[in-house]
Amino acid sequence: AECDQGIDTAYNELDYAASKGLNGTVSWLKAASLLTAAKTQEQFEKYPNCIDKVRRARFYISQSQL
C-alpha cells in the first residue's frame, strides 16, 4: 500500500511542479524517471525498490521547486 500511495502522492507533486513551469528542470526529469521505474517495480511486486524510488523521486521534486 505504501508503494501505491507514494506513487500517487509523488505524481500529484510532480504535476504541481509542472504547473509551476518546473517540468524542464533536471530534478523534475529525474523524479519523473524514478516514478516510471517505481511503477514498474510495483507491477513486479518489488515493493522495497518501489518505495525507495518514490522517496528519491519526492526528494528530486522538492529540489526542482527551490
Side-chain angles (χ1 to χ4, degrees):
E2 184 180 350
C3 173
D4 187 50
Q5 291 172 355
I7 289 171
D8 288 343
T9 299
Y11 269 120
N12 287 336
E13 292 171 353
L14 196 67
D15 288 343
Y16 178 75
S19 74
K20 293 250 186 206
L22 303 171
N23 56 334
T25 66
V26 172
S27 292
W28 190 94
L29 294 170
K30 286 180 182 179
S33 178
L34 282 166
L35 287 177
T36 299
K39 194 70 174 161
T40 301
Q41 294 296 311
E42 179 188 36
Q43 291 171 346
F44 287 103
E45 299 180 359
K46 303 288 185 187
Y47 301 115
N49 293 341
C50 171
I51 293 166
D52 176 60
K53 285 177 176 49
V54 166
R55 288 181 181 154
R56 292 186 343 199
R58 293 185 74 195
F59 170 78
Y60 284 121
I61 293 167
S62 69
Q63 291 298 304
S64 74
Q65 298 179 45
L66 295 179

